[in-house]
Amino acid sequence: MRTTRQRRAWVVAAALAIAVALSAGCALRRDAAPAGPPPELWFYDLTDLSDAHVVDRLTPLWIRARRAGYRRVVLADVRFARLRDMGDAYFEHARRLKALADSIGLGIVPGVFQVGRSSSMLAADPNLVEALPVANARFEVSGGTARLVPDPPVAFADAPAGKDTDVRVTGRVATIEGNRRHARWWYDVPVSPHRSYRVSVWIRTRAFEGEPLIQVLGGRRVIHFMKSLGVRAAQDWTEHSLVFNSLEHSKVRVYMGVWRPTRGRLEWRDWTIEETGPVNLVRRPGAPFALRDEASGRVLVEGRDFAPVADTLMGRAHGAGSFEEWYEPPEIRTSLPDGTRLRASWHQVAIVYEKQVTCCLSEPGTFELLKDEARRMRELWGPGRYLMMF
């Protein structure tokens, strides 16, 4: 009979033999499998076809890419969503690029439908932007104008609810110099749900390297996404703003300061918070503007009880398709008696990361814009492959 040691040796040897046989079989199967086609290489080119030198600039790049084995180029230009506004020179550049690609055997895959960042397509109709509701904001008539009455009154407390050690805060003045960790202070502020608020602050810097921020939390969740306040490394006192929607929250926490190590000197002063009127007001059937008498509940008729309300800067702050966080909201003009209390509801633009917006996918007009873009792009580039730029 075999000893225990002999049995173990036999088991190990058998296992090794099976492993070797399986490996050999796998190797044989791999060797026998037919070789697949080589990968088709693509590259991405974000460009501006309105640039007079665009063809000359892209020609050597495209030739070098084709020689390196690339078969297709994804050609992206935010102006593809605005072909209706482009002049003859733009289309001539496109024709020259098509001729170049054909001559070297490079396929062009145009990028279409920039739904995620929709500023370009919204130049045709800014009111198709995604929006957030503002509900039952209180106004009072005075001198023919309905003026906002904060409800409840909103303000920062005399002292912050807390602060980090790397920031000095005295009253409404804060200084940060060369912090190595978080340098923030914060306030807990009662608000009304579904209202619009603005935080503003004056900032001065000297040889500053870092990213100062204002951040608003509802519970544990950030409810406004602000990538930058646009603070420069060296600036005199300059006002900076952030507008946010309170969503469903009745209390928010407002942070100010820096979240990462910085260098140089950063000074803050005179920060305030206020409820706002209809800034970035969206007007479309799916986003109505409603005004009612607070005492009687009567819904007022626009054009009869109050003048039509239009925000001429929404989506046009610095040209068509340009959105800004803050400017003075439009007035609500009415002939109602002074002292009349009103409640207003509307929709405001949802701005993400400074000036990014997206189109509203529940509005039929959005799909009319996409349909028009698709037709114009096919007329320009012809049938073939397209990449949807979601």
Side-chain angles (χ1 to χ4, degrees):
M1 295 182 62
R2 292 174 180 168
T3 65
T4 301
R5 180 174 298 177
Q6 287 173 328
R7 285 197 299 271
R8 287 177 180 170
W10 183 86
V11 171
V12 171
L16 287 173
I18 293 171
V20 170
L22 290 174
S23 299
C26 292
L28 288 172
R29 283 194 295 274
R30 283 198 299 269
D31 293 341
E40 184 175 274
L41 302 180
W42 296 23
F43 69 101
Y44 177 81
D45 200 337
L46 175 62
T47 191
D48 175 7
L49 268 65
S50 66
D51 181 0
H53 306 289
V54 62
V55 180
D56 294 336
R57 190 177 68 255
L58 295 185
T59 296
L61 172 65
W62 285 21
I63 292 174
R64 181 160 59 91
R66 186 65 189 94
R67 288 174 178 170
Y70 287 86
R71 295 285 303 280
R72 298 183 188 277
V73 53
V74 175
L75 184 63
D77 184 347
V78 295
R79 293 154 196 82
F80 286 167
R82 300 180 59 185
L83 291 181
R84 70 179 70 81
D85 301 325
M86 298 297 104
D88 293 340
Y90 187 93
F91 297 100
E92 176 60 23
H93 297 159
R95 285 189 287 269
R96 289 175 60 192
L97 281 178
K98 283 196 292 183
L100 167 65
D102 290 342
S103 69
I104 62 177
L106 183 67
I108 296 178
V109 182
V112 294
F113 302 165
Q114 299 183 45
V115 170
R117 300 185 180 187
S118 304
S119 294
S120 185
M121 67 176 291
L122 290 172
D125 186 354
N127 284 295
L128 294 175
V129 68
E130 187 59 85
L132 295 169
V134 177
N136 297 318
R138 173 177 279 175
F139 288 78
E140 184 174 312
V141 178
S142 175
T145 301
R147 305 183 189 279
L148 183 75
V149 179
D151 171 37
V154 61
F156 290 127
D158 293 338
K163 76 176 194 68
D164 296 319
T165 56
D166 278 9
V167 58
R168 300 193 303 273
V169 182
T170 305
R172 288 289 189 271
V173 177
T175 304
I176 301 170
E177 291 189 274
N179 62 292
R180 290 185 289 181
R181 54 182 67 85
H182 292 334
R184 309 161 304 175
W185 64 104
W186 55 91
Y187 297 85
D188 293 324
V189 184
V191 295
S192 281
H194 303 293
R195 296 286 178 83
S196 177
Y197 294 92
R198 177 197 181 208
V199 178
S200 62
V201 62
W202 290 81
I203 295 178
R204 180 170 68 178
T205 59
R206 298 176 187 172
F208 177 71
E209 298 178 12
E211 190 68 75
L213 294 173
I214 299 170
Q215 194 171 76
V216 183
L217 275 68
R220 295 177 178 270
R221 179 165 61 106
V222 177
I223 62 174
H224 186 282
F225 296 90
M226 190 69 175
K227 187 177 180 181
S228 173
L229 291 173
V231 176
R232 301 184 302 276
Q235 66 176 46
D236 203 352
W237 289 110
T238 305
E239 188 177 30
H240 298 269
S241 295
L242 178 147
V243 177
F244 70 93
N245 187 295
S246 57
L247 304 181
E248 70 274 15
H249 302 284
S250 57
K251 184 174 72 173
V252 296
R253 172 164 287 187
V254 180
Y255 281 88
M256 287 173 272
V258 295
W259 275 249
R260 295 179 179 176
T262 66
R263 295 180 179 179
R265 185 178 179 89
L266 172 66
E267 298 173 274
W268 306 58
R269 77 176 190 196
D270 302 334
W271 46 87
T272 61
I273 183 170
E274 60 179 335
E275 189 176 345
T276 82
V279 63
N280 275 311
L281 173 66
V282 177
R283 301 300 311 266
R284 62 169 184 260
F289 181 90
L291 196 62
R292 63 179 174 83
D293 185 282
E294 184 179 72
S296 67
R298 182 174 70 91
V299 177
L300 304 183
V301 178
E302 191 169 10
R304 187 189 69 188
D305 299 315
F306 63 99
V309 182
D311 188 343
T312 58
L313 292 178
M314 192 278 292
R316 303 178 182 87
H318 300 290
S322 172
F323 293 82
E324 288 288 344
E325 279 265 325
W326 172 252
Y327 47 84
E328 288 297 327
E331 290 187 338
I332 303 173
R333 305 289 297 174
T334 178
S335 58
L336 292 171
D338 284 2
T340 304
R341 286 286 180 94
L342 306 172
R343 292 285 182 170
S345 298
W346 65 87
H347 288 72
Q348 66 179 154
V349 176
I351 297 179
V352 180
Y353 296 142
E354 299 176 69
K355 301 174 184 179
Q356 293 181 29
V357 296
T358 189
C359 57
C360 179
L361 292 177
S362 64
E363 283 293 331
T366 295
F367 294 92
E368 291 303 315
L369 285 182
L370 295 176
K371 184 177 179 180
D372 180 72
E373 179 184 342
R375 178 180 62 80
R376 293 176 186 273
M377 287 291 284
R378 183 180 173 87
E379 290 175 354
L380 177 59
W381 300 106
R385 299 186 183 188
Y386 288 80
L387 183 67
M388 292 191 291
M389 308 290 286
F390 289 135

